[in-house]
Amino acid sequence: MNPITGKAHVYGDNIDTDRIIPGKYTKTLDVSQLAEHVLEDLDPEFRHRVQAGDILVAGENFGAGSSREQAPLAIKSAGISVVVARSFARIFYRNAINIGLPVVEVSDHAIENEHLVEVDLENGTVTDKDTGQTYRATQMPEVMVNILNEGGLVHYLRKYGQL
Amino acid sequence: MGQTASEKIISRHAGQTVYAGDIAIVQVDGCMATDATGPFALKAFQDMGGTKPWDAHRVALVLDHATPAPNERIANLHKLLRDFAAETGCHFYDVGAGICHQLMVENEHVRPGDIFTGADSHTPTYGAVNAFAVGMGSTDLAAVMLTGRTWLKVPQTIKIELTGELRRGISAKDIILFLVGQIGIAGATYKTVELTGEVVTTLTLASRMVLANMVAEMGAKSGLVDPTGLALWYEFEPILSDSDADFAAVHRFDVSQLRPQISIPHSPDQVVPVDEVRGQKINHAFIGSCTNARIEDLHMAAAVLKGKKLAPGVRMTVAPASKRVLDEALKDGTLAILSEAGAAFITSGCGPCVGTHQGVPGDGEVVLSSTNRNFKGRMGNPNAQIYLASPAVVAASAVTGEITDPADILEGEAWQLR
């Protein structure tokens, strides 16, 4: 797996799923609709600024609150390649892996907005290319690595049939 | 070494003895999805190659997040779930039957000792009936529907012991708001929160459900309420943590002096005693949700509202937790008391709490709600302010038009809220 490089969009702590995708937009199977409202109540301009391949960076407890898988789906369909946070809320973390959106926990990062960031999922490192600072990511349980390597839980179960 | 209740329940379902930190593949006793999470779950299920669930009797689909359907798009999502249930024979609860978590407990889809997975973050509510219940997303739920199994990282447990005696008018909601404020919005992430102590063991099932429900607002994976003193309508074998189990933390709180608690905008863990925001004007009072819409909650509101009227300019909506709760409140006169006070009734469900419909606030408006979350935009408008409190505080404030301690307007009256 090649490292992912992209521009960072940096936000703070406790970004809850209501701010990632408000509940009123979640009742749909059309993921492009989700992308149109991603982070709407946090940063209404985000969806206009974001470019395919960009990286979303946050502080503690990213994805708190609801179990809505529409939250990682909205982020993924907006073009974000990977989410880096100091910590994640647990359901969001599982959901992201399950739909094939890489998420990387880096407890001590100080990545700045609009910096170029490189995420090496295989080696578990995240580098702020503008400052040269490299951070080590928390090791994911093996079961999650296997699911992510298959591109998500649907592909995993299609291939193996069982967990 | 002893085990926590979570470790015991997971061990039984994993076929081996496990402890916190282990990864376990477990057999699941039941699972549930709603109209918010079910459509993506069914899509993932079909994409996985699924046609029939592993055991249709262990799968429930509930329409509650946008009911009745507010538009044709959602009506078609409802139809998708309805048709799937008809084809596969899984349990189905249509518009108005109730809120998923209430229905799972009422109808024994979840029972003590079970592992239950729900595609809704308030699934830990079933810790009130001594079940290990976790919220998950749609694709995880689809995998359970397909295989009857899921993987879990066995959580550490934070034990919270509550001692003392609650003052009159103080309810489970005040306790759990206080605890969310103490532990914080991420304070129990990945962990089980176990609630025990003399206060807990005297509570009703409904009050225990209030406690377990809002461990979600501490980031917890699961909540377990000490089953000592739990009265169910059937026999069960209680599962308790061993005294020598390894806990991540143990907290003790004497709640004897606890005053009514309130969560202020825009996070559930921003909690203060009601006194600190007394006098804040409100526009909308809401009693509903999986947290506080059971019969004892409606009784609490009725005890406050009996013979009184809503303040001018205040609207009040009530959404009972289920059709069964609605019928009970109808028969025992509770609905009449609330209606005469000026309350309006809406279909049992989650719509206002999650901002779908049936009560979206206007710009600058203030909502006082018996629900569980007040994140910015939660009720459908990021320019509104949402406060969270017990049904008693919501009702009292609806009478005065401003945030009020129920004791202020019920001084000297004989009232029993618990």
Side-chain angles (χ1 to χ4, degrees), chain A residues 14 16 18-19 23-24 27-29 31 41 61 65-70 73 88 90-91 93-95 98-99 141 143-144 147 153-154 157-158 161-163, chain B residues 23 36 39-40 47-48 73-74 77 119-121 135-140 143 147 149-151 185-186 189-190 221 354-356 373 375-378 380 382:
Chain A
N14 299 314
D16 57 79
D18 280 291
R19 282 188 289 173
K24 61 190 170 191
K27 282 84 182 171
T28 178
L29 282 168
V31 293
D41 290 343
N61 198 29
S66 154
S67 67
R68 64 187 69 147
E69 199 163 286
Q70 290 90 331
L73 282 171
F88 289 90
R90 56 163 291 276
I91 303 179
Y93 192 67
R94 272 182 88 126
N95 284 346
N98 286 343
I99 63 147
V143 58
M144 295 190 98
I147 292 168
L153 188 54
V154 167
L157 282 173
R158 279 190 79 91
Q162 276 294 347
L163 280 164
Chain B
I23 300 283
F40 274 115
D47 289 347
M48 288 167 183
R73 174 172 47 83
I74 294 176
L77 294 176
D120 188 274
S121 59
M136 50 172 44
S138 301
T139 302
D140 260 333
T147 67
R149 307 201 300 173
T150 194
W151 70 271
I185 195 77
T189 300
Y190 296 109
K221 181 175 201 149
V354 75
T356 317
R373 290 193 178 130
F375 297 126
K376 194 176 178 190
R378 173 73 181 176

Side-chain angles (χ1 to χ4, degrees), chain A residues 18-19 22 24-25 40-42 44, chain B residues 265-266 360-365 374-386:
Chain A
D18 280 291
R19 282 188 289 173
K24 61 190 170 191
Y25 302 124
E40 183 172 283
D41 290 343
L42 177 69
Chain B
H266 293 289
V360 177
D363 288 352
E365 286 196 320
N374 57 354
F375 297 126
K376 194 176 178 190
R378 173 73 181 176
M379 291 182 75
N381 186 345
N383 301 314
Q385 310 280 316
I386 308 165

Side-chain angles (χ1 to χ4, degrees), chain B residues 86-108:
Chain B
E87 280 164 28
T88 61
C90 61
H91 294 279
F92 181 69
Y93 292 95
D94 214 320
V95 174
I99 297 172
C100 56
H101 304 307
Q102 182 67 13
L103 293 170
M104 293 305 102
V105 172
E106 266 182 7
N107 297 303
E108 297 174 42

Side-chain angles (χ1 to χ4, degrees), chain A residues 40-60:
Chain A
E40 183 172 283
D41 290 343
L42 177 69
D43 179 359
E45 295 308 309
F46 171 79
R47 64 179 182 269
H48 304 302
R49 274 201 320 274
V50 66
Q51 302 282 325
D54 284 358
I55 294 174
L56 191 60
V57 178
E60 304 287 351

Side-chain angles (χ1 to χ4, degrees), chain A residues 27, chain B residues 32-39 42 60-70 73-85 91-101 103-104 119-120 320-323 347-351 354 356-358:
Chain A
K27 282 84 182 171
Chain B
M32 175 280 296
T34 72
D35 49 336
T37 52
L42 296 191
L61 298 174
V62 181
L63 304 188
D64 61 0
H65 273 60
T67 51
R73 174 172 47 83
I74 294 176
N76 287 329
L77 294 176
H78 285 176
K79 190 168 177 294
L80 185 78
L81 268 57
R82 198 178 281 121
D83 291 349
F84 181 87
H91 294 279
F92 181 69
Y93 292 95
D94 214 320
V95 174
I99 297 172
C100 56
H101 304 307
L103 293 170
M104 293 305 102
D120 188 274
S322 68
K323 178 74 164 56
T347 304
S348 177
C350 322
V354 75
T356 317
H357 70 332
Q358 293 200 323

Side-chain angles (χ1 to χ4, degrees), chain A residues 9 22 47 53 67 71 80 86 88 91 95 101-102 104 108 114 123 125-126 137-138 153 158 160-161:
Chain A
H9 299 262
R47 64 179 182 269
S67 67
I80 290 292
R86 292 203 187 98
F88 289 90
I91 303 179
N95 284 346
L101 172 68
V104 180
D108 60 346
E114 300 201 339
N123 291 313
T125 57
V126 175
T138 309
L153 188 54
R158 279 190 79 91
Y160 298 106

